[in-house]
Amino acid sequence: MFGSLVIAGSKASPEFAGRLESPNADEYKIDVVRVVGDRLLILRNDDIAEATPQFDRQVRALGIEGQSTIRNLRVGIVGAGGTGSAIVEQLIRLGVGNLVIVDDDLVTPATIARGYGSRRDDIGKTKVELLARLAGQVNIDTQVDSVFGNIQNEMVALRLRHCDVIFCCADSHGARIVLNRMAYTLLCPVIDVAILISSSDKKVTGIDGRVTWLAPGTSCLLCRNRIDAVLANAESLDPLERRRLAGQGYVPEIEDPQPSVVPYTTLMASFAVTELLNRLFGFSSVEPTEVIVRLLDRHISVNRVPARVGCFCDDRAFLGRAKEAPFLGIAWVK
Ligand SMILES: [Zn+2]
């Protein structure tokens, strides 16, 4: 496949024309160009459709072009728990056209306390099917690709290949290792969301949330010490094997489920979706790549840290190599 692309216009308002040609001389016009880095710019050459009345108030803030950009997005969400389901709820109501939702969990009684789209009679169903049902019930034309599986499985990870942006709302460090590489190999920004409720002597001592923007030109989760490689390895073990090794002190014990409360997961979901709107439309400075919310102190801060020398995230030759085997350069467990 050969291609040509001409970019003109100004930095604030770029224009393009391009085409691809296959070896048997079939020609394809390039309709969309995605520019990733501190911003996520989606340039389109097709006509902008009028927004439907449901989005009237939103168009007053984002404009018809902005609404059209949202309508044409394909967004991945990994993890359909408290934070992930709240993000999906917001993306549906924003009018995002396509969602790919990945989760390998079933609804339990504890899901109902914070899972958007869930009801008491859903226990035993998959979380992804509830969110597909939610999109259908809201019925403003969001197509959902529900993927019941673990992101650490190559076939599951491949389902996210054509997303414009991915939200990481998974609990596990192993999932973060996969998505951390995806941001750079697929040239697809990942918005990583985490929340930690700390307690001591039955007293809450901290409620801390984090939203991190991962994209070419920014440092990855490893450079930021946001992934624990020992825990990621322990998570990948068979539960019996993990218990045996934990007994010998080789790996951490399996922890009880972490505390989680719906206003906090919903708040961090809103911070994460706000980050997407900011990167799409440049509403505020895009220089910081992480937002930290310390709820007990009612304090919000931002930061940007440099990549570590030698990390893949700082290696331009690593960017965009999604077609090379193995996918993402990971040794996948079969
Ligand atoms: Zn890095």
Side-chain angles (χ1 to χ4, degrees):
M1 190 80 87
F2 299 93
S4 60
L5 180 67
V6 178
I7 306 225
S10 63
K11 193 175 177 185
S13 181
E15 295 167 11
F16 72 94
R19 65 188 174 92
L20 295 171
E21 191 175 316
S22 70
N24 55 4
D26 291 330
E27 275 199 18
Y28 304 91
K29 191 166 153 276
I30 298 175
D31 292 321
V32 184
V33 170
R34 193 169 70 208
V35 186
V36 297
D38 285 354
R39 290 281 307 271
L40 170 59
L41 286 177
I42 314 264
L43 311 178
R44 303 189 70 90
N45 266 346
D46 45 3
D47 294 334
I48 295 170
E50 280 294 317
T52 54
Q54 292 95 331
F55 302 113
D56 175 62
R57 301 283 288 272
Q58 204 163 287
V59 165
R60 289 164 197 264
L62 308 178
I64 291 174
E65 273 190 39
Q67 189 61 45
S68 177
T69 297
I70 287 175
R71 172 85 191 86
N72 286 298
L73 281 180
R74 185 176 179 82
V75 181
I77 302 97
V78 177
T83 313
S85 67
I87 287 175
V88 169
E89 168 87 35
Q90 293 186 30
L91 296 176
I92 291 170
R93 292 183 194 279
L94 274 171
V96 172
N98 284 281
L99 302 180
V100 184
I101 308 174
V102 176
D103 191 286
D104 62 350
D105 243 353
L106 300 178
V107 176
T108 67
T111 306
I112 317 299
R114 63 192 185 288
Y116 285 76
S118 66
R119 303 186 303 233
R120 275 181 76 176
D121 58 358
D122 289 326
I123 290 162
K125 293 178 182 167
T126 66
K127 290 181 179 175
V128 289
E129 71 181 282
L130 300 196
L131 294 174
R133 181 183 72 191
L134 177 68
Q137 287 168 338
V138 176
N139 193 19
I140 43 179
D141 221 12
T142 300
Q143 302 301 314
V144 175
D145 182 7
S146 306
V147 185
F148 179 60
N150 189 314
I151 187 70
Q152 289 171 264
N153 175 304
E154 184 180 10
M155 289 302 117
V156 172
L158 280 165
R159 299 280 288 275
L160 292 163
R161 255 179 313 181
H162 302 297
C163 288
D164 296 304
V165 60
I166 300 169
F167 287 91
C168 173
C169 315
D171 288 334
S172 80
H173 290 261
R176 285 199 160 78
I177 283 183
V178 172
L179 289 161
N180 191 50
R181 291 183 81 85
M182 219 176 246
Y184 303 86
T185 318
L186 289 186
L187 304 179
C188 172
V190 170
I191 301 175
D192 186 45
V193 197
I195 182 157
L196 179 67
I197 301 180
S198 317
S199 60
S200 173
D201 292 334
K202 297 183 180 172
K203 188 170 180 297
V204 171
T205 54
I207 304 172
D208 302 313
R210 168 178 69 76
V211 173
T212 308
W213 176 256
L214 306 170
T218 74
S219 56
C220 76
L221 291 175
L222 292 167
C223 290
R224 292 174 164 278
N225 287 322
R226 300 301 188 200
I227 294 179
D228 186 325
V230 175
L231 271 178
N233 177 50
E235 287 163 7
S236 68
L237 298 172
D238 172 81
L240 283 175
E241 176 69 359
R242 179 168 176 182
R243 204 161 293 140
R244 188 181 72 78
L245 291 174
Q248 296 170 4
Y250 289 122
V251 299
E253 296 276 0
I254 297 173
E255 293 180 33
D256 290 331
Q258 294 294 312
S260 186
V261 187
V262 68
Y264 310 142
T265 47
T266 305
L267 181 79
M268 291 317 298
S270 294
F271 266 98
V273 178
T274 299
E275 200 60 27
L276 171 61
L277 296 182
N278 197 29
R279 304 285 164 180
L280 280 172
F281 304 121
F283 287 152
S284 65
S285 168
V286 290
E287 175 68 19
T289 51
E290 189 168 78
V291 182
I292 304 284
V293 182
R294 300 208 185 283
L295 262 164
L296 291 194
D297 301 330
R298 299 185 179 89
H299 185 263
I300 301 171
S301 62
V302 295
N303 68 65
R304 182 179 186 116
V305 301
R308 279 188 205 147
V309 175
C311 184
F312 71 86
C313 70
D314 197 32
D315 178 2
R316 294 181 77 83
F318 184 81
L319 300 178
R321 298 178 78 154
K323 286 239 167 189
E324 288 181 17
F327 182 48
L328 306 179
I330 288 175
W332 299 91
V333 179
K334 295 293 175 197

